[in-house]
Amino acid sequence: MSPPPAAAIEPSLGGLPLASASPGLSSAATASPSALHETQLRRQAFAAVVLAAMCIGFSAPLVRLADAGPASIGFWRLFFALGPAVVWAYAEHRSRLRQARLAGATALRPSLRQVLLAMLAGVFFGADLIVFHKGLALTSTANALLLGNLAVVFVFVFGWLILRERPTRGLLIALVLALAGTFIIIGSSAVGAPHAGSRPVSVIGDLLCVGAALAYAGYMLVTRAVRRAGRGDAVPLGGGMVSLVASATGAVVCLGWAVVNGEVLVPQSLQGLLAVIGLGLIAHATGQGLATFALGRLPAGVISVVLLLQIVVGTSLAALLFGEVPSLVVLAGGLLVVAGVTTARPN
């Protein structure tokens, strides 16, 4: 599953909106080259996040085309994404060294706690992929994507129950909407619609996708912790290094699960091989990378909502490629889920 990146639950990283010039000030202040450059970068960031949603939307259809076991698909996806992650992490490292030299200081290193937290995030992400791929095999693409995107709602629920963060009215509304939509979708699978076009659906498959959302929520919470763990003599762990460590750990988890359960490890056709390569390079590296780039220029809430386009992209591709047309009941439940997820997003 490829919901929005974990960084999307962080506070907004975008700058403040440009203020209009007062009558007593020169209009050149608001039309300065730096302001125009910032506006251009924001437009580029918005285009990047739209493209990211389109790339991530390919995830579920590519999983359908990959003729290997659920955990094996997760392993190959993360394996082919390791190359871009290495480049990203190396670029961050070089930048940190360069900044330290300019400041005449010694570059700090990540702490062991940070690395262990990043590995724990990888365990959660590997579990998310295994459970989501298994659930996708037992239900429709629309059901899987809608239920898989409950992760953000679960993050805020965990903050309420575990971290004792006081729930807001918006969170309670989001929880009611998301749960109502979830029950409608799962109820439809149980009694009303045994098939979605040519694809059988099942309660087990739907519940597995909810479980995947829970695992991804754990990944988001741990990633947030590791990004905030740089204090004292430890440097904050950059997104590239977190991605590298988490992806490598998740790949080991997926491979171990696949071997223990006797899954088909290697794709059995050229189509299957191209599908897992596409998962690694298009859905994971490009999609998540573009979303991370956009987080530096746009508010996280805007990015999170735009990334919900992945549901539309994935469901549309499934309808075109596999004849999976969601029923009106699923669409109604999906609208409630999307409304709940949107309400739970940070402003």
Side-chain angles (χ1 to χ4, degrees):
M1 180 179 63
S2 295
I9 61 174
E10 296 288 353
S12 170
L13 299 178
L16 293 175
L18 297 175
S20 59
S22 61
L25 296 177
S26 171
S27 61
T30 58
S32 63
S34 61
L36 294 176
H37 180 63
E38 182 67 21
T39 300
Q40 183 180 10
L41 288 177
R42 290 184 180 220
R43 290 173 179 171
Q44 292 174 353
F46 187 81
V49 75
V50 172
L51 183 57
M54 296 179 66
C55 291
I56 296 173
F58 278 84
S59 296
L62 286 174
V63 171
R64 290 254 190 255
L65 296 173
D67 47 4
S72 301
I73 295 173
F75 164 74
W76 289 113
R77 167 182 176 158
L78 295 174
F79 175 80
F80 285 112
L82 284 177
V86 168
V87 174
W88 185 8
Y90 179 72
E92 285 182 344
H93 176 68
R94 289 293 300 271
S95 176
R96 187 168 64 247
L97 290 179
R98 184 168 56 252
Q99 291 174 0
R101 282 198 301 266
L102 291 175
T106 302
L108 299 177
R109 295 183 179 182
S111 66
L112 177 61
R113 177 174 180 268
Q114 290 172 292
V115 175
L116 291 177
L117 282 174
M119 293 177 66
L120 178 60
V123 171
F124 276 112
F125 191 74
D128 160 57
L129 292 180
I130 295 170
V131 178
F132 182 76
H133 293 168
K134 183 64 176 177
L136 182 61
L138 299 175
T139 192
S140 69
T141 301
N143 288 25
L145 291 176
L146 288 167
L147 297 174
N149 273 275
L150 288 169
V152 174
V153 178
F154 290 145
V155 166
F156 288 98
V157 171
F158 289 158
W160 173 19
L161 298 179
I162 299 175
L163 304 179
R164 303 300 181 184
E165 297 175 352
R166 185 176 180 180
T168 64
R169 180 181 301 178
L171 173 59
L172 296 177
I173 294 174
L175 185 60
V176 171
L177 291 173
L179 288 178
T182 300
F183 286 134
I184 289 175
I185 293 173
I186 296 178
S188 173
S189 298
V191 297
H195 289 76
S198 61
R199 176 67 54 180
V201 295
S202 69
V203 174
I204 297 298
D206 291 347
L207 291 177
L208 285 172
C209 292
V210 174
L214 287 168
Y216 195 81
Y219 164 75
M220 288 197 288
L221 288 171
V222 176
T223 301
R224 181 168 64 177
V226 71
R227 294 299 300 275
R228 294 178 174 179
R231 297 189 179 93
D233 59 350
V235 66
L237 209 59
M241 184 58 69
V242 173
S243 177
L244 176 59
V245 175
S247 295
T249 305
V252 172
V253 170
C254 290
L255 181 60
W257 186 275
V259 171
V260 169
N261 288 275
E263 291 187 6
V264 176
L265 296 178
V266 181
Q268 302 299 294
S269 65
L270 178 61
Q271 170 188 290
L273 177 60
L274 293 176
V276 294
I277 292 175
L279 279 169
L281 298 182
I282 298 175
H284 196 89
T286 304
Q288 302 290 351
L290 287 172
T292 302
F293 162 76
L295 275 166
R297 295 295 174 184
L298 292 175
V302 173
I303 293 174
S304 301
V305 173
V306 174
L307 283 176
L308 290 176
L309 287 172
Q310 64 172 292
I311 299 175
V312 178
V313 174
T315 303
S316 300
L317 287 173
L320 292 173
L321 296 175
F322 314 118
E324 296 185 34
V325 180
S327 66
L328 292 178
V329 175
V330 170
L331 289 176
L335 287 175
L336 289 175
V337 170
V338 170
V341 171
T342 303
T343 305
R345 303 286 181 171
N347 293 325

